[in-house]
Amino acid sequence: MNTLRVALDGPAGAGKSTVAKRVAQALGLTYVDTGAMYRAVTWKALHDQLDLSDAAGLTQLANQVQIDFKPTAAGQDVFLDGQDITEDIRTRDVTSQVSAVSAVAGVRLAMVEQQRNIAARTGVVMDGRDIGTVVLPNAEVKIWLTASVEERATRRYQELIDKGQEVDFEQLKLDIQRRDEYDSGREHSPMKMAEDAVLVDSTGLNIDQVIEEILHICRQIVAQKS
Ligand code: CDP
Ligand code: CDP
């Protein structure tokens, strides 16, 4: 099981990172949050006040930065060139610019190379938008995790309220829809379900139920292959 590669893709707020973390723990695999990698590059570009329409500049940046994950009890911390940026990459600023940065082909090439290098060393649960289609097309397990946009926005809203942030529900829902459209409409590696992925619709399911369903799919596939 510890060489298994699980590709977990889907739209914003579907529950990918929450579920991927716990599935990885349960199966003894390494969790790789590829969204955090695109967020890290975006954070650095904003921090350095780069021109976000300069594809060459963003590509150079993506090839220079060192992104590391360190596991913690709650999940994992994200470091860029040794600096802890776990909280910084979740700001609204980063969230609103990340789709534009991750649409740049050179940025994607740099991140995909790093993602494949990790998966070459260890079994993974990797979550993102293009894992089953581009990053790990031969992954043993491919899941497309989704939920209605209303439910995804409600989850995100609750998460931000719990953190004490002020949020407008309709604006949040629009932001999610806009990001999904951008991610699925881009030219390079658009967000899309792999043809051989299993669809898991988590609308109306709690986190434990989704994890159970995904673990069941993983175990079934492993049993079929052995
Ligand atoms: O957690 P949330 O759904 O808000 O997003 P994320 O997984 O942190 O990803 C942030 C953004 O990075 C996405 O909206 C995509 O633009 C981009 N991304 C991507 O292009 N490819 C991936 N494999 C992962 C994320
Ligand atoms: O990574 P992604 O954007 O797909 O979603 P997430 O950040 O894992 O989940 C977004 C929010 O939905 C988190 O606050 C989760 O706790 C919550 N969630 C939920 O309430 N029910 C689920 N079945 C899955 C996630």
Side-chain angles (χ1 to χ4, degrees), residues 65-208:
V65 291
Q66 167 78 31
I67 301 167
D68 296 299
F69 294 107
K70 295 214 175 115
T72 63
Q76 56 185 205
D77 287 344
V78 186
F79 290 79
L80 186 137
D81 296 333
Q83 184 181 349
D84 186 346
I85 54 161
T86 313
E87 298 296 325
D88 307 275
I89 62 170
R90 304 286 160 196
T91 59
R92 184 142 191 245
D93 246 10
V94 171
T95 302
S96 66
Q97 303 293 345
V98 61
S99 286
V101 173
S102 61
V104 174
V107 171
R108 302 205 69 80
L109 278 178
M111 294 301 112
V112 169
E113 190 187 347
Q114 292 199 25
Q115 292 154 12
R116 287 185 181 150
N117 285 341
I118 301 172
R121 291 195 299 270
T122 174
V124 288
V125 179
M126 195 175 276
D127 85 345
R129 304 292 189 286
D130 60 339
I131 312 305
T133 50
V134 174
V135 182
L136 303 175
N138 298 320
E140 288 76 16
V141 182
K142 294 185 187 179
I143 309 273
W144 179 263
L145 182 63
T146 189
S148 70
V149 68
E150 196 70 23
E151 177 139 346
R152 291 186 282 122
T154 305
R155 291 174 182 171
R156 265 291 144 76
Y157 180 78
Q158 194 55 48
E159 186 181 339
L160 295 171
I161 293 288
D162 290 347
K163 282 187 189 162
Q165 294 182 23
E166 261 184 46
V167 257
D168 178 88
F169 178 78
E170 288 306 322
Q171 187 57 49
L172 183 81
K173 191 169 131 190
L174 269 179
D175 287 349
I176 285 183
Q177 281 172 316
R178 213 176 36 135
R179 192 145 59 91
D180 286 349
E181 276 165 25
Y182 202 122
D183 290 343
S184 42
R186 72 184 171 217
E187 189 186 344
H188 304 286
S189 313
M191 163 171 91
K192 90 169 171 236
M193 181 172 155
E195 277 175 17
D196 49 352
V198 181
L199 173 78
V200 175
D201 186 342
S202 72
T203 312
L205 298 184
N206 66 33
I207 294 170
D208 287 339

Side-chain angles (χ1 to χ4, degrees), residues 19 23 143 145 198-202 205-220:
V19 166
V23 168
I143 309 273
L145 182 63
V198 181
L199 173 78
V200 175
D201 186 342
S202 72
L205 298 184
N206 66 33
I207 294 170
D208 287 339
Q209 289 170 317
V210 179
I211 290 168
E212 236 356 275
E213 187 166 342
I214 292 179
L215 284 175
H216 179 69
I217 294 167
C218 291
R219 289 183 178 123
Q220 254 186 341

